[in-house]
Amino acid sequence: MSGKKGIYLFCVIEADSPQEFGTITLLKKERDVYTVNRDGYAMVVADAPVDVYEPNRKNLKSHQDVVTKVMERYDIIPMSFGNVLEGKKDVHILMEKLQDQFEEIFPKIRNKFEVGLKIIGKKEWLSEKVSQQPGMKELKSKAASKPEDAAYYERMQLGESAQIYDQAS
């Protein structure tokens, strides 16, 4: 872990004044979740070390818990997991660069909500389809040979490959 302080990013909301969202555990320490505001928008953040955040279940759940909590009160543009900037000045610079996109996106998502879709299929059918794709057997065996947390990137590649297969079908 680097000891350098930074600001972990969760999502962007529309807000003119500073907001607080309780605390979150990041890297085994309770941290306040608050906003960095600029021109009617606010980045929901927490002070945290500039570090590599392992995409394990606990860290991903912490990130998602904050996003879910903020979604209870605001329309949001989520930030992907593990983004850390060095300071508030960098957050302001990022928000300035994304200002046009915020102005385009927020009217489209205002008063809308997210719906999850779960599809259940037969494992045998999926295994057959996956095994027919070039390179999939190798990726699958790499992922299976590692512990779940360590095989994150291989599982991502498998998912992307399956998505490409689905689009080509």
Side-chain angles (χ1 to χ4, degrees):
M1 201 178 325
S2 77
K4 190 174 182 181
K5 300 245 182 216
I7 297 184
Y8 185 99
L9 311 177
F10 293 101
C11 58
V12 179
I13 62 175
E14 292 178 295
D16 291 319
S17 60
Q19 304 295 311
E20 295 181 3
F21 296 96
T23 61
I24 187 71
T25 302
L26 284 175
L27 298 178
K28 300 179 183 176
K29 185 176 177 189
E30 282 291 306
R31 301 170 193 282
D32 292 327
V33 179
Y34 63 96
T35 59
V36 174
N37 295 67
R38 184 184 185 284
D39 296 335
Y41 299 102
M43 185 74 70
V44 178
V45 302
D47 295 330
V50 175
D51 206 340
V52 174
Y53 289 78
E54 292 296 321
N56 59 42
R57 190 173 298 224
K58 185 176 181 178
N59 289 340
L60 291 167
K61 183 175 180 341
S62 292
H63 178 95
Q64 188 59 41
D65 286 349
V66 170
V67 170
T68 300
K69 184 175 186 176
V70 175
M71 284 176 67
E72 291 172 1
R73 293 176 30 203
Y74 294 93
D75 297 318
I76 70 156
I77 299 173
M79 301 298 289
S80 57
F81 170 81
N83 287 304
V84 182
L85 299 178
E86 290 187 7
K88 289 181 184 177
K89 182 180 177 183
D90 293 328
V91 175
H92 283 278
I93 291 169
L94 176 63
M95 291 177 72
E96 180 181 3
K97 290 184 182 284
L98 296 175
Q99 179 86 20
D100 291 342
Q101 293 171 351
F102 295 162
E103 291 171 3
E104 181 182 332
I105 294 170
F106 273 109
K108 291 178 182 176
I109 65 170
R110 200 169 286 126
N111 299 317
K112 303 234 176 15
F113 59 93
E114 180 181 59
V115 176
L117 175 64
K118 185 174 186 176
I119 298 174
I120 301 170
K122 293 189 177 187
K123 189 174 182 176
E124 299 79 23
W125 177 84
L126 183 59
S127 293
E128 178 187 328
K129 294 296 181 185
V130 166
S131 67
Q132 293 172 1
Q133 297 305 303
M136 293 292 271
K137 283 183 183 178
E138 184 181 330
L139 271 176
K140 189 176 176 184
S141 66
K142 272 186 189 178
S145 69
K146 294 182 179 181
E148 185 176 332
D149 289 348
Y152 175 78
Y153 296 106
E154 284 82 3
R155 289 194 320 273
M156 292 263 302
Q157 287 179 314
L158 274 168
E160 288 171 2
S161 297
Q163 199 170 31
I164 291 168
Y165 166 76
D166 183 49
Q167 290 171 356
S169 295

